[in-house]
Amino acid sequence: MNDTDGSNWIDVAAATDVDEGQAIEVVVGEHIIALFRTADRYYALDGLCSHQGGPIANGELSLTDQGKSCVTCPWHGWQYELETGIQTVNRQPLQQTFDVRVKQGRLELRLS
C-alpha cells in the first residue's frame, strides 16, 4: 500500500501491464477492479457488472454516440462509460469508478 501523501493510493500494477484499448483485472482487498487504458488515459471500474456480475475487464471498448469511452459487458451487453460508470441506456451511474493515476511507471488506485 502506498499512503505517503495520506490519500490512500494503492499500487496495483505496472502501467505497461495494460495495453492500449485493453483491460486487466486486479484484486484489491475485497474489490475486483477492471483497469482500462485508452489512447489518452487509464480508468478503473468495479470489475463485476452491476447487472449480473459479468467480468467487465473482458468487455469490449468502444465510444458512445457522444464520443465517450465505454465498455460493453461480455455477458449481456450492458455498456458503461469508463469515466463515470454511467450505464449508457438508462443514463444512471450504476458501475462504481475509482481514481487511478500513474506514478513512476506504476498504476495506483484510490478506493475511497
Side-chain angles (χ1 to χ4, degrees), residues 7-67:
S7 59
N8 298 320
W9 288 97
I10 302 166
D11 182 306
V12 295
T16 56
D17 288 346
V18 187
D19 293 330
E20 185 177 325
Q22 300 297 313
I24 63 169
E25 187 175 272
V26 296
V27 177
V28 181
E30 297 178 4
H31 298 277
I32 297 172
I33 309 289
L35 290 170
F36 296 90
R37 179 179 173 195
T38 63
D40 61 341
R41 66 183 278 200
Y42 292 88
Y43 299 90
L45 279 79
D46 183 330
L48 301 177
C49 180
S50 61
H51 175 234
Q52 288 191 348
I56 290 293
N58 293 342
E60 185 175 324
L61 291 179
S62 61
L63 296 176
T64 66
D65 292 341
Q66 295 78 33

